[in-house]
Amino acid sequence: MLGILWFFLWQSAGIAVSYYLFPEKRIAVRLWLGSVIGTLLSMWAPIPFAFLRGFGITAHIAAAIFALALHALWFARRGKTVPCAEDAAIDRPLPYLLVPFMVLAIYLVGSHTLQNVDGALYTGQCTYGDMAMHLSFITSIAGQQTFPPEYNLLPGTPVSYPFLCDSVSSSLYLLGTPLRWAYMIPMFFAFAQVFCGVWFLAREFCRRKYAPVLAFLLFFLNGGLGMIYFLNGEYSLHDLFTAFYKTPTNLTEKGMRWVNVIADMLLPQRATLFGWAALFAVLYLLFRAVFRGDTRLYLPAGILGGLLPMVHTHSYFALGLMAACWLVYSAVRDRFSREWFLRWLRFGLPAVLLALPLFLWTFPSVGGNEHFVRVVIDWVNNGKEPWLWFWIKNVGLVFVLTPFAFFAVSKEQRAAFSGAVFIFVVCELLVFQPNEYDNNKLLYVAYAFGCFVCADALAGWLGRLRSPAAQGVLLALTLFISTNAAVFTLGREVASGIPKYGYELFSRDEAAAAEYIIENTEPDALFLTRDNHDNTVATLTGRNIVCGSGSYLYFHGLNYQGQQRFAEQMLTNAEVFEANRESEGLDYVYIGYHERALTGVITDYLTENYPIAFSAGAITIYDLHAVS
């Protein structure tokens, strides 16, 4: 309960800040911006105090005092109500979009997050890979309280990942919220923030009635022409709903890589979810500042933008690319005036200065890694298919219509869309991380603006038809072609939330072992385990292991291969184990399903020489502190 109160304290503080900063906005806008600000504050507020006292209770008490001070400041300085300058009718469609999409999001998050089935913990298809990593960050940050945090997957190495997307749940977990709920509650709010962010930004961009609705649907129900592989018999609907990643938006072997944003971006990738929650708010403020003349918004946009990198670095890069194009447009429009320079200085200065932790925490850990920022032409296609066909079959109708829609919208809209074009070109030439696929975290931001342009142009084209029936038929056909792949993909995720069609992440015995470890070992204890991604020790308890999964560490740009080989040698060679257990500081050996699968695992030697601290089924934990 204390953790939940903590989170809602910051939501309230964010709304108070929003009401102070944006008194002229509609209530819906203020609540949305306030919720985004509140989430960012809940991530960042403990950080200054954590440098002094660690990521513990003291840091959170100090941060809570700061939250109460924000409330007091708002009450002391609140003024008279400012009349809203916006038409209330323009947001009427939002509840009709928000409610069903939030119901879907809540179901997916709930069914995919450590769902307890007779003591075993289940997850869904899209979260089977990434969830374990995020849980290891959450539990280790809360348990070990070292700050800046270090990998419990590679002890002694500072975390090079934007960890604030996970530390927001670490705070809840630290304050007594069960791990499952600590993971889910901030995600519920982040989903609502992303949905609202796309809506309000589309509402600002689009000029024609109902175009924001169409843009919203095109973005969140994105999918290309992947169903052709099911209609031609190469795959069956049974494969789609039961096999692992045989969905029309994610068929790697067929070159389908334009995944659905809900199923494969927001749900499994917490950094993207929380990053987009903030990014769309910043883009909304900056769009209003540049294209609507609301110049007061440059500063708050810069401050919020500067807080982005340690939440989601790709969102910060996307903001920078968009802002660069908008800056050039406004410079030409305003003729490089002194006022223009000062306005952009108010945005740029905090956006750069507040991002310094990115350089202090992240870059030193991966410095010199040649896998970052390199030339890769043609994104993940790499010339395997004709360039045009690859993008048409992946993105679908939006990609086909965008060039035509570009010339059907206003000059101002084309200027705003220039940032999307810039992002697309950059991502077709460069990658910014070891996994070139991750460029989609930038590309989807460009795609959002493509949806805005297409929706506004489509609304104009349909409006020219005199027959309402013709308008309805063409609109329905457009939505069917654009969204059918997404509907089936999301259907697969809904089905995978049912344990029969889902995935057991941890068995009953593994969950019991995790409970024992939490209750009976030190938070910084070091375990010798195998490097499987679903590592019980690292994920559920936050304890250190000699080396975690390369599926995570490689894509973070870390040099882990030596430790990986060393851990396996100690598990399979008693002499290597004995020669190094003390110098490595090993406390326990965890032998489970994955460890027993190793050829020559030293289980018999451990049983003969060390006491068994825990045993259940195939799980055995050996205590190295005393020899039996």
Side-chain angles (χ1 to χ4, degrees):
M1 179 60 73
L2 189 60
I4 296 173
L5 289 176
W6 157 271
F7 187 77
F8 278 97
L9 173 67
W10 286 110
Q11 288 295 300
S12 175
I15 291 171
V17 171
S18 177
Y19 268 64
Y20 177 74
L21 291 177
F22 317 113
E24 79 289 354
K25 300 295 181 185
R26 289 198 60 223
I27 291 177
V29 175
R30 280 181 281 175
L31 290 176
W32 159 59
L33 290 173
S35 183
V36 172
I37 293 169
T39 300
L40 285 172
L41 286 173
S42 70
M43 295 173 177
W44 276 103
I47 300 305
F49 307 107
F51 274 109
L52 301 174
R53 300 298 299 272
F55 195 85
I57 297 295
T58 302
H60 284 74
I61 291 175
I65 294 173
F66 173 63
L68 294 174
L70 287 177
H71 284 87
L73 182 65
W74 177 76
F75 277 111
R77 303 190 64 177
R78 70 187 189 280
K80 296 181 179 179
T81 303
V82 178
C84 177
E86 299 176 332
D87 180 9
I90 58 179
D91 286 329
R92 283 178 184 169
L94 177 58
Y96 298 99
L97 294 169
L98 187 59
V99 170
F101 276 86
M102 277 305 300
V103 169
L104 174 66
I106 290 170
Y107 167 80
L108 290 174
V109 173
S111 64
H112 284 52
T113 305
L114 302 180
Q115 185 181 172
N116 192 314
V117 181
D118 296 328
L121 303 178
Y122 278 74
T123 188
Q125 174 184 250
C126 69
T127 48
Y128 181 75
D130 285 359
M131 178 177 286
M133 180 194 73
H134 291 295
L135 287 170
S136 73
F137 287 146
I138 292 168
T139 54
S140 64
I141 291 172
Q144 299 188 37
Q145 300 177 13
T146 302
F147 202 87
E150 298 180 351
Y151 283 94
N152 70 333
L153 304 175
L154 196 65
T157 304
V159 171
S160 61
Y161 186 82
F163 58 83
L164 293 183
C165 68
D166 291 317
S167 68
V168 65
S169 290
S170 298
S171 294
L172 275 70
Y173 186 53
L174 173 72
L175 296 172
T177 307
L179 181 58
R180 168 176 157 84
W181 286 99
Y183 191 91
M184 294 193 301
I185 289 173
M187 288 186 71
F188 294 151
F189 281 80
F191 262 105
Q193 291 160 12
V194 174
F195 291 146
C196 289
V198 171
W199 167 262
F200 287 118
L201 186 56
R203 193 198 71 187
E204 288 296 329
F205 186 98
C206 299
R207 298 189 172 198
R208 295 178 173 95
K209 192 175 183 181
Y210 300 123
V213 175
L214 184 56
F216 185 98
L217 295 174
L218 290 173
F219 182 73
F220 289 111
L221 297 180
N222 70 295
L225 308 180
M227 283 304 295
I228 60 177
Y229 297 107
F230 294 86
L231 295 175
N232 68 9
E234 293 187 59
Y235 301 92
S236 68
L237 289 180
H238 183 268
D239 295 330
L240 194 161
F241 284 102
T242 60
F244 189 68
Y245 274 120
K246 299 298 179 186
T247 64
T249 60
N250 200 343
L251 282 173
T252 304
E253 64 271 23
K254 296 297 181 181
M256 300 303 302
R257 308 300 302 274
W258 194 249
V259 297
N260 176 258
V261 295
I262 294 176
D264 290 299
M265 299 300 293
L266 300 177
L267 186 58
Q269 302 185 43
R270 284 172 64 95
T272 302
L273 173 64
F274 287 95
W276 285 4
L279 173 63
F280 285 118
V282 177
L283 289 174
Y284 167 86
L285 295 173
L286 190 59
F287 184 93
R288 289 277 311 174
V290 175
F291 297 99
R292 298 289 179 266
D294 198 349
T295 56
R296 299 175 304 105
L297 300 182
Y298 279 103
L299 181 60
I303 293 173
L304 296 182
L307 298 178
L308 266 174
M310 291 311 298
V311 180
H312 188 220
T313 308
H314 284 84
S315 287
Y316 184 70
F317 289 164
L319 172 64
L321 295 173
M322 293 291 298
C325 292
W326 294 358
L327 181 148
V328 171
Y329 165 76
S330 66
V332 174
R333 182 194 62 190
D334 300 336
R335 300 180 180 180
F336 297 94
S337 65
R338 180 176 179 273
E339 292 75 14
W340 166 84
F341 175 78
L342 292 176
R343 288 197 296 265
W344 277 99
L345 187 64
R346 289 200 295 272
F347 169 78
L349 203 58
V352 172
L353 292 180
L354 290 174
L356 287 179
L358 173 69
F359 303 95
L360 298 176
W361 295 340
T362 300
F363 288 171
S365 298
V366 298
N369 191 311
E370 69 277 8
H371 295 296
F372 284 83
V373 191
R374 65 195 190 279
V375 175
V376 173
I377 307 297
D378 195 14
W379 190 37
V380 292
N381 183 39
N382 301 134
K384 292 189 287 288
E385 293 182 285
W387 179 87
L388 188 60
W389 169 239
F390 171 81
W391 281 106
I392 289 175
K393 79 172 189 177
N394 269 275
V395 180
L397 197 57
V398 170
F399 188 82
V400 175
L401 292 179
T402 297
F404 303 99
F406 180 81
F407 293 101
V409 296
S410 69
K411 180 180 178 181
E412 181 185 79
Q413 288 171 307
R414 290 198 292 270
F417 184 67
S418 64
V421 176
F422 188 32
I423 289 174
F424 181 79
V425 172
V426 169
C427 289
E428 281 286 83
L429 300 175
L430 299 171
V431 294
F432 300 91
Q433 60 285 312
N435 187 2
E436 62 187 35
Y437 169 78
D438 281 347
N439 263 16
N440 62 3
K441 297 169 184 176
L442 293 166
L443 286 167
Y444 280 113
V445 179
Y447 174 73
F449 282 83
C451 292
F452 301 163
V453 167
C454 285
D456 210 46
L458 279 166
W461 294 333
L462 292 173
R464 295 175 187 174
L465 299 175
R466 295 184 178 181
S467 169
Q471 291 178 348
V473 169
L474 286 175
L475 179 60
L477 185 62
T478 299
L479 287 174
F480 174 77
I481 294 172
S482 302
T483 65
N484 68 85
V487 170
F488 280 100
T489 296
L490 289 168
R492 167 57 176 131
E493 286 306 325
V494 169
S496 75
I498 304 170
K500 178 181 178 181
Y501 303 108
Y503 301 89
E504 183 182 276
L505 196 57
F506 300 104
S507 69
R508 181 192 303 180
D509 292 338
E510 288 172 320
E515 290 184 12
Y516 171 84
I517 292 171
I518 292 171
E519 294 173 1
N520 295 277
T521 68
E522 292 299 315
D524 61 349
L526 178 62
F527 283 72
L528 176 61
T529 72
R530 202 173 179 186
D531 64 344
N532 51 296
H533 89 281
D534 51 341
N535 189 288
T536 304
V537 177
T539 301
L540 294 181
T541 76
R543 272 47 173 182
N544 293 323
I545 62 175
V546 175
C547 186
S549 173
S551 299
Y552 304 141
L553 299 175
Y554 173 81
F555 292 114
H556 293 188
L558 301 174
N559 183 9
Y560 67 94
Q561 290 85 353
Q563 278 298 98
Q564 185 182 55
R565 290 191 295 270
F566 183 50
E568 186 167 329
Q569 288 172 351
M570 285 195 289
L571 282 168
T572 56
N573 189 313
E575 292 182 1
V576 175
F577 172 80
E578 283 298 340
N580 293 280
R581 68 174 181 84
E582 289 189 3
S583 61
E584 288 296 310
L586 289 178
D587 297 299
Y588 300 91
V589 178
Y590 178 96
I591 301 295
Y593 305 106
H594 299 281
E595 289 76 14
R596 294 182 191 280
L598 281 171
T599 301
V601 65
I602 59 172
T603 307
D604 292 340
Y605 175 82
L606 292 169
T607 302
E608 292 173 2
N609 292 277
Y610 296 95
I612 295 175
F614 174 88
S615 179
I619 313 300
T620 306
I621 299 174
Y622 296 92
D623 188 345
L624 305 184
H625 294 102
V627 178
S628 59

